[in-house]
Amino acid sequence: MNENLFAILRSRFPTDSSTVFIETNCGQLMTYADMLSRSGQYANALIDLGLSPGDRVAVQVEKSLESLILYLGVVRAGLVYLPLNTAYTISELKYFLSDSEPGLVVCRPDREEGVRAIGGEARVKTLENGGKGGSLLALVDAASTSFEDAVCSGDDLAAILYTSGTTGQSKGAMLSHRNLSSNAAALAETWAFTARDRLMHALPIYHTHGLFTATNTILHAGASMIFLPKFDAEAVISLLPQATSMMGVPTFYSRLLQCETLTRECVEHIRLFISGSAPLSPEVHAEFERRTGHAILERYGMTETGMNTSNPYDGARRAGTVGFPLPGIELRIADPESGNELKQGEIGSIEVRGPNVFEGYWRKPQKTLEEFRDDGYFITGDLGVIDDKGYVNIVGRDKDLIISGGFNVYPAEIEAAIDSLAGVAESAVIGIPHPDFGEGVVAIVACKPGSLLVEDDIITPLSDVLARFKQPKLVFFVDALPRNAMGKVQKKEMRDQYADMFKGTKT
Ligand code: AMP
């Protein structure tokens, strides 16, 4: 059997190929039949360029219908898709291109010269913003639409996605056809996606969330998407009446809540709102439910594993938790040093094993070895605990753990306590070098519009609810927390910014 991801998804496509696959907000419409022939043209054009199975195709272009079909064409041809964040500068690209040694780089025309200068042996082709032109498109337009999917084994690589590298150098996570197809099947089943679904897709497609979690799941269900080039709260709200479901990062939901146009009527046809990539605050969860009647379903995953856990589709969606392991995926909470499984209720390292777990880091065998236990479990780098009902709770990244005066402080607990205070919009808790305690707890707080808080408004109420060693020693106020495009709070950036705050503190 051909285990090529596309061949597996294709076996699930609607029998009526005139079924819509994608509709954009600017009136473009693509049926399953159109997608099949267009991705065939991409696959033919790539093979005609001399690429062969296993070659990497690095892509740094804006989100568009064409750039999504390029992904499918790469997979069909048995090549390795390597998307790059559109925000990377030419000097940042240099590392990715020299590390991955792609056979082809696809970039915007205005980047062509810069990419040629750093791209080594790679060929360079272009795709204009919006997929409206470029040298790759010219080849694709001229190529044949019929293409026989390359025969792949489940272990063959389908993609390499570089991790966001917030704590060190970015690493290429190697994802196989099996990793991606197994996760699409598990998600379509868990979230009950069917051909009747129409997903609101406003996520970027250079990241696992928008590329795999959203697109592959929809293809697996033979369903359709409303495709927006980027998230725009008002545009999303105006199109929600035509959707049945939405996947987003937590910031999408807090931005939607800021719009008065978000009403129960506009979400009448929606059966499911899903959130992930960063923690969804219980306050946003509660407020969204109050406004719309929908309990957002929160799930947990990462570049290296795809999705690992999800709150239940039927059953209680517990705010502040990420639910249960997906079908076929094992998850344990282990002692970070020994890897021995801990008792329920104890905080430890979240480790996962299953067909979703990646093949290792590209050309980093030592790093790969370090991140796996002997029994095959992958050490996610997240810390968590399983509650009395079996729901997984994430307490933070291992590297964000604060050790103050010898005690472990889990930022998520302090952030939840701060977020529940009146007037607080959001908060981040970090550890800063402290001459006496090793690290001192520091809170960075953004207030809700119209409220003006001072340090005591945060510290005083916390003194009743948190042990002394967990209480912030300093509070800084900001307009908004620094986040990346996936809504992840940039803690390293804040640790650097506030690094000297305890310097000179008397012990
Ligand atoms: P990425 O590889 O960019 O997808 O980032 C993965 C990381 O995002 C995970 O290891 C977690 O630290 C974090 N993450 C993803 N989903 C959630 C969630 N629902 N709650 C808290 N953290 C999350």
Side-chain angles (χ1 to χ4, degrees):
M1 180 189 137
N2 186 359
E3 294 179 285
N4 182 316
L5 166 70
F6 190 87
I8 291 179
L9 296 173
R10 182 212 276 259
S11 70
R12 320 224 0 130
F13 289 171
T15 35
D16 176 3
S17 63
S18 67
T19 304
V20 171
F21 168 47
I22 290 188
E23 211 174 316
T24 68
N25 60 333
C26 20
Q28 289 169 291
L29 198 99
M30 179 174 257
T31 64
Y32 270 84
D34 297 335
M35 178 264 283
L36 266 171
S37 42
R38 192 64 175 161
S39 60
Q41 286 182 295
Y42 271 97
N44 277 316
L46 295 166
I47 297 297
D48 291 348
L49 280 170
L51 298 169
S52 41
D55 282 348
R56 277 80 56 211
V57 178
V59 177
Q60 193 199 34
V61 293
E62 301 301 322
K63 179 179 179 183
S64 70
L65 210 50
E66 290 293 335
S67 57
L68 186 76
I69 306 305
L70 165 61
Y71 153 60
L72 298 177
V74 169
V75 173
R76 287 188 76 176
L79 307 170
V80 180
Y81 190 67
L82 198 156
L84 292 162
N85 190 323
T86 44
Y88 288 141
T89 61
I90 288 285
S91 65
E92 285 167 321
L93 282 186
K94 198 168 175 186
Y95 163 72
F96 298 109
L97 300 187
S98 62
D99 189 55
S100 61
E101 294 187 311
L104 173 70
V105 185
V106 181
C107 63
R108 297 192 318 247
D110 62 323
R111 280 272 161 113
E112 186 172 4
E113 206 177 310
V115 169
R116 278 192 197 283
I118 58 165
E121 303 287 299
R123 284 162 172 273
V124 181
K125 293 284 167 199
T126 60
L127 195 57
E128 270 175 23
N129 275 357
K132 294 201 181 76
S135 57
L136 180 65
L137 217 65
L139 297 176
V140 170
D141 285 342
S144 158
T145 56
S146 73
F147 185 84
E148 193 133 336
D149 304 335
V151 176
C152 298
S153 97
D155 301 329
D156 288 339
L157 290 194
I160 295 179
L161 262 62
Y162 277 85
T163 58
S164 40
T166 44
T167 45
Q169 198 177 45
S170 189
K171 302 178 290 289
M174 299 189 287
L175 295 153
S176 68
H177 288 266
R178 182 180 303 110
N179 292 153
L180 302 179
S181 59
S182 69
N183 216 227
L187 294 176
E189 178 194 330
T190 304
W191 296 336
F193 273 95
T194 70
R196 287 186 300 281
D197 270 296
R198 177 161 287 199
L199 182 81
M200 170 60 67
H201 190 305
L203 292 156
I205 56 167
Y206 53 72
H207 184 268
T208 185
H209 194 165
L211 187 63
F212 301 142
T213 310
T215 307
N216 292 349
T217 304
I218 287 306
L219 286 167
H220 191 275
S224 64
M225 304 196 268
I226 301 173
F227 217 53
L228 264 55
K230 62 180 180 22
F231 179 80
D232 170 330
E234 291 295 352
V236 165
I237 289 172
S238 72
L239 290 164
L240 274 180
Q242 294 166 40
T244 64
S245 46
M246 181 174 124
M247 295 186 194
V249 295
T251 17
F252 284 14
Y253 292 103
S254 43
R255 295 221 187 122
L256 288 176
L257 283 172
Q258 287 164 14
C259 301
E260 278 171 15
T261 43
L262 179 75
T263 59
R264 279 187 184 240
E265 291 68 55
C266 79
V267 298
E268 234 166 36
H269 297 286
I270 303 274
R271 63 170 190 88
L272 184 61
F273 283 102
I274 304 173
S275 174
S277 287
L280 179 74
S281 84
E283 284 71 26
V284 171
H285 190 279
E287 178 65 4
F288 199 83
E289 188 163 10
R290 196 185 62 73
R291 282 272 291 279
T292 65
H294 283 278
I296 300 170
L297 179 151
E298 185 169 6
R299 90 311 177 267
Y300 157 64
M302 62 196 304
T303 302
E304 289 92 329
T305 62
M307 297 305 104
N308 292 312
T309 73
S310 170
N311 266 280
Y313 182 66
D314 294 311
R317 298 176 192 162
R318 296 188 104 181
T321 82
V322 293
F324 309 107
L326 293 168
I329 298 175
E330 297 168 281
L331 180 146
R332 71 181 177 200
I333 305 292
D335 177 274
E337 299 303 319
S338 66
N340 292 334
E341 187 155 2
L342 296 174
K343 287 208 285 291
Q344 182 272 317
E346 290 183 333
I347 293 177
S349 149
I350 301 180
E351 305 189 349
V352 292
R353 186 166 71 177
N356 59 317
V357 176
F358 74 138
E359 307 295 309
Y361 293 111
W362 172 255
R363 290 184 179 162
K364 290 196 168 42
Q366 188 53 36
K367 191 73 197 154
T368 303
L369 215 60
E370 288 165 15
E371 306 293 329
F372 280 89
R373 302 282 184 198
D374 292 344
D375 58 4
Y377 274 87
F378 171 61
I379 306 167
T380 62
D382 290 310
L383 296 173
V385 58
I386 297 182
D387 70 17
D388 55 352
K389 299 252 175 6
Y391 290 72
V392 176
N393 291 239
I394 297 175
V395 299
R397 291 290 296 167
D398 194 1
K399 285 169 181 129
D400 293 331
L401 172 73
I402 304 166
I403 304 181
S404 190
F407 293 108
N408 285 357
V409 180
Y410 299 100
E413 183 191 358
I414 327 296
E415 288 159 3
I418 298 176
D419 291 351
S420 69
L421 300 176
V424 171
E426 54 177 3
S427 65
V429 167
I430 54 173
I432 299 298
H434 188 288
D436 195 16
F437 297 111
E439 283 183 300
V441 179
V442 169
I444 321 292
V445 176
C447 299
K448 283 193 175 143
S451 61
L452 200 66
L453 301 176
V454 296
E455 193 169 63
D456 273 352
D457 297 326
I458 306 294
I459 292 184
T460 310
L462 292 186
S463 61
D464 294 334
V465 290
L466 292 175
R468 208 179 154 82
F469 70 92
K470 296 181 189 172
Q471 293 167 18
K473 298 198 178 345
L474 287 173
V475 180
F476 296 98
F477 292 91
V478 292
D479 291 339
L481 298 176
R483 291 180 186 272
N484 70 7
M486 298 310 295
K488 284 186 216 298
V489 173
Q490 302 302 88
K491 290 203 167 174
K492 183 177 179 308
E493 197 176 298
M494 287 187 281
R495 278 195 293 265
D496 292 344
Q497 185 182 347
Y498 297 102
D500 296 337
M501 290 301 156
F502 290 119
K503 252 196 186 150
T505 301
K506 295 262 182 311
T507 61

